[in-house]
Amino acid sequence: MQTLPSGIKKVEASDNATVVNFNINADLLDEKITKLDGVAAGAGGAGSATDSVIGNRAIDDSIVAAAGADSPTRLWSKLAYIIKGITGSANWWTLPSMTINVIVASLGLKAPLASPTFTGTASAPYFKATGDTTRNLAAAGWADLSANSGGQALLANNAYTDGNNSWKYSNTHASLGARGIRLSVSGGIECFDMGAVATTADAAFTPTWVKMATLLSPAFTGTPTAPTFSSTIATGTPPLSVESTTTVPKLGADTVDGWHIFYDITQLGLTAGTETIEDICLAMPMMSMLVYTKKASNTSTAYPITDGILVIKKSGVSNVADLKFSFYNGGGNVQQWSGYYNWNGSPPFSGWVKEYNGSTTGIDVDTVDGFHMNQDVRTTASPTFSGITLPSASLAVASIGNHNPFVGSMPTFNVPVNYPTLMGNVAWQLSKIIGGTDWTTQPAVSLANKANNASPSFTGTANFAGQINSTVATGTAPLQVASTTVVTNLNADMVDGFHADKVATANTLVARDSAGGINGVVLNSYAPQGVAPLWVTSTTQVANLNADMVNGHHVTTSSTAPSGGVDGDIWIQY
């Protein structure tokens, strides 16, 4: 038996025509015929299915629309689902606040998201309402521009401020942290950096604010740090001005009072062991000094002995240099040599001359300007004496006769006496002049080889037990020395007219203090472009140091973007 689509069972030849099967088919036919009772004539044509035939149907706008055939009721439900989605209402029969025509007209006045062009004045709220704890304006999810009711504006990476004046993280991240710049209501620009810490979106945190200095005469507090301070100011203006006289540890200057200082010949591009004195002097720049500790491991034969300290001062006027080589064994034995280098000399280096060998606590010379220490009487080739009165009467030697020499008494002025008394008076006077017991005693000091009072010339070594005083007026050198050899233990009040001082006193020579530091008021650098004028190994900040640029870039603060400028300059908007 075959069942048709209508449900009627079709009897085949091999089937039994039973009453049961017949009744089943009869019931199905009755059901179908009953449904057709309300169909108007011409069933199947247009309008043949009336509302009464179709009956009421309930629309379900929760049925998701999908492609494909379906019953009319489901199709109507799917359409209702789409209408509800378009209007955004809770159900399909509620009208939207704006029609599609109104929306299209409004969109025509809106700027596109991609490269919008605004006219008039674009505006936005300064901050959200008090109590609003959400973000204000975000870019790419990580940059925020926000403000709060306290008047603070914040431009930050992964941070924002809300209407309750709280500071919060924008996103959750394992190590990004947060940092930003605040335009403070109290004035100025401040910044913070929380470091590479874990953050949780909308979690509050407490930033530590650091005020940023302006480029124009900034006033720093605390200790500013930078890898390099560079000055491009022209010669004549100090690139660095410091009020403090406190020593800056490890501050290495290229020159000291215009002098370059070297401590090793390798700084001059030379290789230890093969250098000559001429190599060293030629390698040194003008106005430079070398203080080099030569050790036995250096096999160069340019030095007088294997160990010692070489000191060379090269003039800034011409290519000449003064050389000293000293050795001290720690047991009182001091040896010193001197030399002189002149580019125009033949040969240029004079060779080493030994100045001192031994130990001493002072200077011992044989003569000073040719005078010995024990010479206190000076004579001339034709001495002139005064104050000697002779008798007016002529004396005939033959008529006087012989008399025994003796020491008489002190003569009486302008009283005539006989010859023997006169001779006694003269003998007495001579004994007093000579300083002996009688007039025949030889004087203790010879007048021979004595220096003149006027411009005396000494030979040998002059020794003085007391001070050497000069009363010559200012403008004339009180001491002239031909030798360039250093005078050991000579303590001068001034050098080239300048006092030496450990503190920053004007018009004085620089002397190192007990810590080895140099104190000054202004440090001038004449280094050419490409050469750092200041080299510091310490990472400690230099207090009160005012730099023109930061990491090679200028910093500008203004309310609007500056015109012109150089690529890489820093602009801070306030």
Side-chain angles (χ1 to χ4, degrees):
M1 186 174 292
Q2 183 180 1
T3 301
L4 299 177
S6 62
I8 297 176
K9 297 183 180 294
K10 182 180 180 181
V11 180
E12 298 183 19
S14 60
D15 294 331
N16 294 322
T18 63
V19 175
V20 174
N21 289 333
F22 178 82
N23 290 336
I24 291 174
N25 288 335
D27 292 338
L28 288 173
L29 288 173
D30 181 67
E31 179 183 353
K32 300 297 182 182
I33 292 171
T34 300
K35 290 183 177 180
L36 294 174
D37 287 344
V39 178
S48 61
T50 63
D51 288 343
S52 61
V53 173
I54 297 173
N56 295 330
R57 298 289 189 271
I59 292 178
D60 183 3
D61 60 9
S62 65
I63 297 176
V64 180
D70 210 335
S71 65
T73 301
R74 286 184 58 81
L75 288 175
W76 294 336
S77 297
K78 291 178 180 180
L79 288 174
Y81 176 84
I82 293 176
I83 293 172
K84 183 178 68 172
I86 292 173
T87 62
S89 301
N91 47 66
W92 67 275
W93 62 82
T94 302
L95 293 175
S97 59
M98 295 177 65
T99 66
I100 292 177
N101 288 336
V102 174
I103 292 173
V104 170
S106 298
L107 289 176
L109 302 176
K110 304 298 181 182
L113 291 177
S115 303
T117 301
F118 297 102
T119 60
T121 302
S123 62
Y126 290 104
F127 53 84
K128 293 190 175 183
T130 300
D132 191 334
T133 58
T134 59
R135 300 166 69 179
N136 288 188
L137 179 63
W142 297 105
D144 282 79
L145 176 60
S146 57
N148 56 39
S149 58
Q152 311 282 3
L154 176 68
L155 175 61
N157 165 229
N158 197 32
Y160 68 95
T161 180
D162 65 11
N164 287 334
N165 300 325
S166 298
W167 311 97
K168 296 183 177 181
Y169 293 118
S170 301
N171 303 278
T172 299
H173 196 278
S175 60
L176 179 62
R179 56 217 45 87
I181 299 174
R182 176 176 73 174
L183 303 181
S184 175
V185 69
S186 60
I189 302 173
E190 299 172 317
C191 64
F192 77 92
D193 191 339
M194 299 301 293
V197 299
T199 62
T200 301
D202 299 320
F205 66 92
T206 302
T208 299
W209 296 102
V210 178
K211 192 166 186 178
M212 301 173 65
T214 61
L215 283 179
L216 181 60
S217 301
F220 294 104
T221 59
T223 304
T225 59
T228 303
F229 292 100
S230 178
S231 173
T232 58
I233 196 168
T235 300
T237 302
L240 191 64
S241 178
V242 182
E243 288 187 17
S244 173
T245 59
T246 304
T247 300
V248 181
K250 298 184 180 180
L251 181 62
D254 180 53
T255 59
V256 178
D257 278 348
W259 284 81
H260 295 276
I261 308 296
F262 300 96
Y263 298 96
D264 199 298
I265 59 174
T266 57
Q267 294 176 278
L268 301 172
L270 302 176
T271 301
T274 61
E275 75 277 10
T276 65
I277 295 300
E278 188 169 359
D279 291 337
I280 299 174
C281 293
L282 286 175
M284 292 176 62
M286 296 293 189
M287 291 285 291
S288 64
M289 175 182 287
L290 170 66
V291 181
Y292 172 52
T293 301
K294 195 272 183 188
K295 299 181 179 179
S297 56
N298 181 345
T299 58
S300 172
T301 59
Y303 311 92
I305 57 175
T306 58
D307 293 270
I309 297 177
L310 174 66
V311 178
I312 300 179
K313 291 181 67 176
K314 188 170 182 179
S315 170
V317 179
S318 58
N319 213 341
V320 296
D322 182 63
L323 298 88
K324 298 289 182 183
F325 192 87
S326 304
F327 169 78
Y328 177 60
N329 67 355
N333 182 20
V334 178
Q335 300 183 62
Q336 184 170 287
W337 292 260
S338 65
Y340 190 76
Y341 174 84
N342 188 337
W343 170 266
N344 297 318
S346 182
F349 178 48
S350 64
W352 293 109
V353 177
K354 196 165 189 178
E355 294 182 336
Y356 183 72
N357 184 13
S359 61
T360 185
T361 57
I363 303 173
D364 186 8
V365 295
D366 181 55
T367 60
V368 177
D369 281 348
F371 287 95
H372 292 280
M373 185 63 187
N374 60 351
Q375 289 179 292
D376 56 2
V377 179
R378 304 184 181 187
T379 62
T380 62
S382 301
T384 301
F385 298 96
S386 61
I388 298 178
T389 302
L390 297 176
S392 58
S394 297
L395 298 176
V397 176
S399 63
I400 295 174
N402 295 328
H403 296 272
N404 291 324
F406 68 100
V407 176
S409 60
M410 181 178 67
T412 302
F413 179 72
N414 205 22
V415 175
V417 294
N418 58 26
Y419 174 70
T421 302
L422 176 62
M423 293 301 298
N425 294 151
V426 171
W428 182 90
Q429 191 75 2
L430 286 176
S431 67
K432 298 302 180 181
I433 294 175
I434 294 173
T437 57
D438 58 65
W439 65 278
T440 61
T441 303
Q442 293 292 326
V445 179
S446 173
L447 295 180
N449 298 322
K450 301 301 179 180
N452 298 325
N453 284 330
S455 300
S457 178
F458 295 103
T459 61
T461 302
N463 297 318
F464 297 91
Q467 293 180 326
I468 300 176
N469 295 323
S470 172
T471 58
V472 68
T474 300
T476 302
L479 188 64
Q480 292 182 344
V481 181
S483 172
T484 60
T485 303
V486 174
V487 180
T488 306
N489 295 332
L490 182 60
N491 185 7
D493 181 49
M494 294 188 290
V495 177
D496 280 345
F498 293 96
H499 292 282
D501 206 335
K502 296 180 181 178
V503 297
T505 304
N507 300 318
T508 59
L509 295 176
V510 178
R512 297 181 183 276
D513 58 21
S514 59
I518 297 176
N519 301 315
V521 177
V522 177
L523 180 61
N524 292 323
S525 172
Y526 302 98
Q529 290 292 337
V531 179
L534 193 63
W535 182 75
V536 183
T537 58
S538 172
T539 59
T540 304
Q541 290 180 330
V542 181
N544 299 327
L545 186 60
N546 183 8
D548 180 53
M549 293 189 291
V550 177
N551 211 20
H553 300 286
H554 293 283
V555 181
T556 303
T557 58
S558 62
S559 59
T560 58
S563 61
V566 179
D567 289 345
D569 283 356
I570 303 170
W571 169 51
I572 301 175
Q573 185 180 16
Y574 60 82

